[in-house]
Amino acid sequence: MLPELAKGDALLLTAAAALSTHYIFKKYEPRDPLVHVGLLGAPPLLLSTFLKPYYGVLGAFAVTAALFFITLTTSIVLYRISPFHPLAQYPGPLLHKVSRLYLTWITMQGRAHLYTQQLHERYGDVVRVGPNEVTIRDASAILPVLGATGFPKSEAYMGRAMWAPVKSLIASSGDEHQAKRKPWNRAFNSTALKGYEGIISNRAEQLADLLSREKDNVDLGVRFSWFTFDFMSDMAFGGGSDMLTKGDEGSMWRVLDDGLAAGHFFANQPWIAAYATKFPVFGQDVKRMRRYGIERATARVQNGSLNKDLFHYLNNEDGTETQTRPLAQVISDGALAVIAGSDTTANVLTNLFFFLLSEPAEYKRLQAEVDSFFPPGENALDTRFHQEMPILNAAINEALRLVPVVPSGSQRTAPPGGKLVGPHYLPEGTNASVHFYSVHRDSRNFAPHTTSFWPDRFRIAAGEITPADAGIDERNFVHNAAAFVPFSFGPANCVGKNLALQEMRMTVCLLMQRLEMRFAPGFDPESYEQGLRDYFVVKKPELRVDVSLRDQSA
Ligand code: HEM
């Protein structure tokens, strides 16, 4: 039997319970939906008993629940905008300080890269974009946030994978990450890379044939996507995809694209992902994407492979490690490879061709360089010269600079005790991302022609040409190499970087040697950059081109 309380005392007790609930949520950040139900449902239900004598059963519950939730919400909002909040010193729009919902809405339209860049222009180098979150445009933050002693990965990575039972490499941090990364490093060392050349060559030849057959009004971006997806399937699982000959028959490309967007939503709201895992109807796209990876990896285990593919290393088929890793881990990482390695590389290739076709003089310069290294009859896929081709490498770097394909960066969480990041102190538990897109397009890091495609900046920086050769005044030249991070930075940077560069160099050389391309009639180049979307990885719009074969008889 509960003691009877005066109405005023019962109301006060309810308000106190709401404040305690706020404290518990803030301190422990529970993610389990059952705990949420308990913390939010039990207090109003139980406390309504005290008001029953005054309002009856239903009335008492309505009054208690209203008071409880109004007090809770008010307490949360006031705390978040108050000067007592640990992030109070950082500027940002009021709406973002109160809740992350508005940013999630912007993000789900794929506009986060541009929106965040505008926020930096308005508020400065560190902007508060959520109650507990900042974005950073200061290149001096790259080392302390992403470097060897940097921050661990944020919860966004678990949300993106919908709290998958096995944590993949990309979601891991610290010692766990280091241990998982070992076989990946073996899979991407120079000997292993040599072994993938044949696989790239076969697929690149197929791509060139397809483009030369299709000729008119081809969506080059989609063809690059098919190419990278087929190649990554060969590379990760010893085969299993044939989009370059059959098209996207099983709509796998669609699954991957839709899965990325859905995963991005859950990364933005990891607590919703925790709910979605409890209800099978939610997160279908992410689950289909995961299922695909598991099916491919399982088939690979059953069938084996004649090539030394990525699986060969991940599954310790090379016998280097004393302990073979659990199969579920290998499968999860195999799926990660296809997801991380296809879209990214296809995007860079598409962006590069867009910029080259928009700047015909740059296109011709690169073509001339390819012709000088690989005259007709020479094998443009031969990797011997690729790393020494200055114009090729400068053009690829410039495409990576203008559109880093992970534009909004890799979100991390400040460790216990907080940490100084350059001149900025980030309190414990703050989610922080270095905004690669803004850093790459900051004139303090790259000038002149900061927002234009100007590959010469990389040639000047490498000492291959002088500023005067490139027609600019030396005093205007700024090149901050430490601010160029398209593959991220530190121990969790892109493990596939060298493979991606090799794949892109080979493909560009072959296509440039063999084909001539121009924008298709009616294609509006203006629409391309505006159409780029940020769903963690960039999603590209159509790039329509006409293709013809070059004269190879010289
Ligand atoms: C031009 C193409 C590529 C770009 C620009 C790129 C960029 C990136 C970036 C920015 C990250 C960090 C993501 C984060 O911290 O959340 C990353 C991670 C990763 N990338 Fe790439 N990537 C490319 C191609 C590839 C390829 C071909 C593979 C091959 C499998 C690959 C595999 C991975 C993996 C496994 C990670 C996670 C590494 C870790 O956490 O240790 N990437 N990539």
Side-chain angles (χ1 to χ4, degrees), residues 9 28 35 61 105 120 163 173 233 263 289 297 353 359 387 427 437 445 475 502 512 537 553:
D9 290 347
Y28 300 104
V35 177
F61 181 70
W105 184 68
H120 280 301
W163 304 89
S173 306
S233 299
M289 193 164 76
F353 272 88
E359 302 284 344
Q387 290 188 45
Y437 189 80
N445 298 324
R475 284 165 302 179
Q502 176 170 321
M512 280 281 175
V537 173
S553 58

Side-chain angles (χ1 to χ4, degrees), residues 63-225:
V63 170
T64 317
L67 179 62
F68 180 84
F69 285 110
I70 288 169
T71 312
L72 180 63
T73 311
T74 312
S75 165
I76 291 172
V77 170
L78 288 180
Y79 173 67
R80 287 177 174 179
I81 61 174
S82 78
F84 308 110
H85 192 282
L87 292 181
Q89 59 170 307
Y90 293 114
L94 188 69
L95 208 53
H96 292 311
K97 293 178 184 173
V98 171
S99 160
R100 209 190 181 284
L101 283 177
Y102 181 59
L103 186 61
T104 303
W105 184 68
I106 301 271
T107 301
M108 290 324 291
Q109 294 164 42
R111 293 195 288 129
H113 60 310
L114 298 175
Y115 179 76
T116 310
Q117 190 193 26
Q118 282 162 11
L119 287 183
H120 280 301
E121 272 159 25
R122 178 155 177 216
Y123 291 97
D125 280 344
V126 183
V127 184
R128 189 169 164 202
V129 285
N132 194 26
E133 182 178 345
V134 294
T135 163
I136 306 173
R137 185 186 54 178
D138 184 346
S140 73
I142 292 171
L143 179 69
V145 173
L146 301 171
T149 57
F151 296 4
K153 293 275 169 78
S154 81
E155 212 179 35
Y157 287 86
M158 292 307 287
R160 180 168 291 117
M162 289 186 71
W163 304 89
V166 179
K167 217 191 226 184
S168 71
L169 173 77
I170 200 166
S172 310
S173 306
D175 292 347
E176 184 187 12
H177 175 267
Q178 218 181 351
K180 282 187 183 151
R181 181 119 171 185
K182 273 190 192 148
W184 284 87
N185 288 338
R186 290 206 310 281
F188 290 107
N189 67 24
S190 46
T191 318
L193 282 186
K194 199 82 200 135
Y196 306 140
E197 275 175 21
I199 313 179
I200 302 177
S201 296
N202 289 342
R203 290 301 186 177
E205 289 279 3
Q206 257 183 310
L207 171 69
D209 285 351
L210 177 69
L211 291 173
S212 60
R213 279 199 315 275
E214 291 190 316
K215 284 194 181 111
D216 294 335
N217 202 23
V218 183
D219 186 344
L220 189 60
V222 170
R223 302 306 175 265
F224 279 140
S225 295

Side-chain angles (χ1 to χ4, degrees), residues 364-505:
K364 287 282 161 218
R365 262 195 333 157
L366 177 53
Q367 195 173 54
E369 182 178 82
V370 172
D371 287 348
S372 70
F373 278 89
F374 302 106
E378 291 293 320
N379 178 13
L381 293 164
D382 184 339
T383 55
R384 253 180 316 161
F385 306 119
H386 290 160
Q387 290 188 45
E388 291 145 36
M389 294 174 69
I391 297 173
L392 170 70
N393 290 296
I396 291 175
N397 280 342
E398 184 65 342
L400 283 162
R401 183 189 70 86
L402 277 176
V403 188
V405 296
V406 180
S408 294
S410 172
Q411 199 183 65
R412 308 297 171 100
T413 302
K419 200 169 167 186
L420 258 186
V421 167
H424 324 283
Y425 173 73
L426 294 185
E428 167 173 352
T430 305
N431 288 328
S433 322
V434 177
H435 198 245
F436 296 159
Y437 189 80
S438 298
V439 170
H440 281 191
R441 286 174 175 248
D442 187 335
S443 58
R444 292 172 300 177
N445 298 324
F446 302 102
H449 311 307
T450 305
T451 55
S452 314
F453 184 70
W454 187 54
D456 273 352
R457 77 179 76 251
F458 284 95
R459 301 189 60 208
I460 299 173
E464 290 159 6
I465 55 171
T466 65
D469 294 335
I472 59 146
D473 184 335
E474 187 172 3
R475 284 165 302 179
N476 297 335
F477 184 66
V478 182
H479 192 92
N480 179 2
F484 181 57
V485 279
F487 293 99
S488 192
F489 180 82
N493 72 347
C494 177
V495 71
K497 174 181 170 183
N498 290 334
L499 174 70
L501 289 172
Q502 176 170 321
E503 184 185 354
M504 291 191 294
R505 291 177 187 129

